[in-house]
Structure formats: structure tokens, C-alpha cells
Amino acid sequence: MTWLTLGRLRNIALTDLYTELGLKHAPAAILSDKDVTIVDTEPGWCPASIKVVEEAGGVWLPNEDPQRILGVSSKDHATALAQAVTRGTGEKADPQMLFDHVGNAIEARMRKGLVLMPGAGEVLSAFETAGLPQALVTASPKSLVQALVDGLGDHPLSTYVSGDDEIPGQPDPAPYLLGAERLGVDINDCLVFEDSDTGLAAARAAGATVHSVTERPLAELLVHLSE
């Protein structure tokens, strides 16, 4: 699906939406997480990680390991994979090699087709029509972000921050601070859409106005877009 298939929203008034989000005026920019916010690739990460770990002779702990890989930096995800393999083999594993195998599986899945989260296209297109710059902030590696960008086609994203950027990962505020810097705006004037606990913590620590799409999905905000 490309962004254009959704159609551009024209002559949209965003005042009601800004008020609903707790803003007194238009933000300087929009920063959005990738998974569960714009698209949903998260369901693929656990199965791919389990497959890679078990094929390497590792042991996956279903009550612990999922929390160690979702919403974290690429480095932390890779470390969790290596520890799961060592748990089963007793031998040191290569974190980056394991993560690359998982990343390749996710990239192949993404290139087969992307499904936007309900409301994501409409809401972000409305911000684009209003002339607000937008950036993607994610812990996913650059290769997966590029696959996403390629899959979306004509989209409103001006830049992105990925897990390959050499900065501390979430919940550190560094990713969101870098996103605002790349857009040339003050993070305190930005609106962030996030879903994970680590991402929400990072965005709030950075100083942005934050909206949790887990508590209130983007689709529920469409009623506040008026012609």
C-alpha cells in the first residue's frame, strides 16, 4: 500500500485535534514511532527471533524474552538473542549475526506488503497538508526503516532516526532529541505518537507533548478532523 492510495485530505481544520491532544497551538513538527503507530510489524519480531534462537541451539523463555526485544535498540535486541542462544548451548554467540538473521526475515516480510495502522494515513496526511514536518523515530535498524519508506511510496516523512544511529536507545531521550534536531525544531514544540513504554518514556524525557496510541489509537482521532 502506498500513501497515495489513501488519498490526500484537503482543507482540513486541525484546531479541534490540537485541543484534543492537549495542545494550545500547532506543534512545530510530528515525530512518530514505527511499529503499532504507522505500521504493525511487531507480530513478526517474536516468531523470527524464536526461529533464529532455536535454530542456533538456544532456549527461548516465553515469559521473559519478548519483553527484552520489543521496543528496544537493535543492540539490546541482539544481546538478548545471543544470551538466549548461550542459555542453550553454553557457548558465546555472535549478537550481530543473530540479529541480522532476524532483520532479514522482517525485511523480507515487509517487502511483501505493508498494512498501515487504522487512521495513520489520514492523520499524518492531515499534518502534511498543514505543512508540518514529520520524522520517524524507531529502534529498528536502518535497513528495515528503508524497507518501510520504500513500501510506503509517497509519504509525509522528511527524515528518520533508526537503531543504527550511534546514540543511546530508548528509554533514553536521545532518539527523539535527534529526530527534532534533524527536522530543525525544538523538541519541546513537537508532538510525538508512541506505543511502547520505553518509547513513551523517551519522548516524555525529551520534553515533547506525547500521545499514546495504545491508550487511544489514531483511528479514534479522526472524528476531530473537520472540513
Side-chain angles (χ1 to χ4, degrees):
M1 174 183 289
T2 65
W3 215 267
L4 278 177
T5 60
L6 293 168
R8 288 287 189 264
L9 296 175
R10 299 299 182 188
N11 302 317
I12 292 295
L14 295 175
T15 304
D16 290 345
L17 179 59
Y18 295 151
T19 300
E20 187 66 20
L21 294 173
L23 296 166
K24 295 181 179 179
H25 51 73
I30 307 298
L31 302 174
S32 300
D33 178 41
K34 175 173 67 68
D35 279 314
V36 186
T37 303
I38 295 179
V39 295
D40 192 4
T41 64
E42 280 200 352
W45 283 98
C46 268
S49 296
I50 293 170
K51 185 173 186 292
V52 167
V53 165
E54 293 183 343
E55 286 181 348
V59 174
W60 182 266
L61 301 179
N63 294 326
E64 299 177 20
D65 288 332
Q67 286 70 38
R68 300 184 63 208
I69 68 167
L70 296 178
V72 303
S73 68
S74 301
K75 181 179 179 180
D76 289 344
H77 188 147
T79 298
L81 294 173
Q83 290 174 345
V85 170
T86 300
R87 188 183 298 136
T89 65
E91 299 179 357
K92 186 177 180 180
D94 183 336
Q96 190 58 52
M97 182 182 71
L98 293 167
F99 184 79
D100 286 345
H101 287 320
V102 174
N104 290 339
I106 298 298
E107 182 174 349
R109 186 173 184 265
M110 289 176 67
R111 292 192 181 280
K112 288 181 180 178
L114 291 169
V115 177
L116 292 174
M117 294 295 293
E122 293 87 343
V123 171
L124 298 188
S125 288
F127 288 132
E128 179 189 21
T129 300
L132 300 180
Q134 300 183 56
L136 188 73
V137 178
T138 175
S140 296
K142 185 176 180 179
S143 60
L144 294 189
V145 179
Q146 192 59 53
L148 169 68
V149 170
D150 292 344
L152 290 177
D154 183 33
H155 56 80
L157 304 171
S158 300
T159 186
Y160 59 78
V161 174
S162 76
D164 289 341
D165 284 297
E166 295 184 0
I167 55 175
Q170 301 170 351
D172 192 283
Y176 278 104
L177 292 172
L178 181 57
E181 179 183 332
R182 288 180 173 170
L183 288 176
V185 298
D186 187 330
I187 187 62
N188 293 287
D189 297 325
C190 291
L191 173 63
V192 169
F193 291 105
E194 257 287 359
D195 74 289
S196 70
D197 290 341
T198 53
L200 290 166
R204 287 170 179 147
T209 296
V210 185
H211 177 78
S212 170
V213 298
T214 302
E215 295 179 4
R216 194 173 186 189
L218 292 178
E220 293 185 12
L221 299 179
L222 296 182
V223 297
H224 300 287
L225 297 178
S226 56
E227 296 284 351

